[in-house]
Amino acid sequence: MPSKIRVAVAGVGNAASALVQGIQYYSEGSSRAGLWHPKVGGYSISDIGIVAAYDTDARKIGSDLSKAIFAEPNVMPKHVNVKTLGVDVEAGMLGYGKQIPAGNMKTMTRNGSIADSLKKKKVDVLLNLISSGNDAASKEY
């Protein structure tokens, strides 16, 4: 069994902010209040590692995920001072087979597709946290 579950998030909005803050909070071990099952299948919350993130908002792309989760237009309250994660948000899918053009963003998946990025980072799970209004992008992932 691998020591970590390597997770990528598609969509760096309020849900991603809650997830990242929750992982850090519960991984620090100070409290398990609020967790129904501290271990599932032999894994605990500290076994979850976010290794990739994708979004379409220029305010988030190129930023460390720890900062991007608090960037506008997100409104999730800051409950935890999230440590720098070393995960830069990459340009995500717009839907209908389109990815943000390279010239439009400061950082993106430069050497291939998002699929290539996921393979390179050995992602186990891609978590779709895209806003409910963008079904086309969800289908692309």
Side-chain angles (χ1 to χ4, degrees):
M1 184 171 352
S3 62
K4 291 273 186 190
I5 302 169
R6 298 174 64 85
V7 175
V9 293
V12 182
N14 292 313
S17 181
L19 175 69
V20 171
Q21 290 184 70
I23 289 171
Q24 181 166 322
Y25 178 79
Y26 288 114
S27 292
E28 290 173 349
S30 56
S31 172
R32 296 287 186 215
L35 287 179
W36 288 358
H37 304 286
K39 282 198 169 219
V40 175
Y43 291 102
S44 67
I45 195 114
S46 60
D47 291 320
I48 300 170
I50 298 181
V51 297
Y54 307 94
D55 202 273
T56 57
D57 191 315
R59 294 169 284 193
K60 299 173 186 179
I61 296 170
S63 298
D64 189 85
L65 182 59
S66 63
K67 305 286 185 264
I69 59 173
F70 299 113
E72 289 183 1
N74 291 8
V75 294
M76 174 60 65
K78 189 175 197 177
H79 298 288
V80 176
N81 288 321
V82 178
K83 300 172 194 166
T84 300
L85 298 170
V87 176
D88 287 338
V89 177
E90 297 178 57
M93 297 299 298
L94 295 168
Y96 306 105
K98 297 179 182 174
Q99 188 175 355
I100 296 173
N104 292 0
M105 297 295 161
K106 48 191 170 178
T107 302
M108 68 171 297
T109 310
R110 296 185 189 282
N111 298 320
S113 67
I114 289 175
D116 293 334
S117 172
L118 294 168
K119 288 176 190 174
K120 179 181 175 186
K121 294 174 183 181
K122 299 178 181 173
V123 171
D124 298 312
V125 177
L126 173 61
L127 186 57
N128 182 354
L129 299 177
I130 295 171
S131 301
S132 60
N134 195 347
D135 293 344
S138 289
K139 288 177 185 176
E140 287 295 318
Y141 284 99

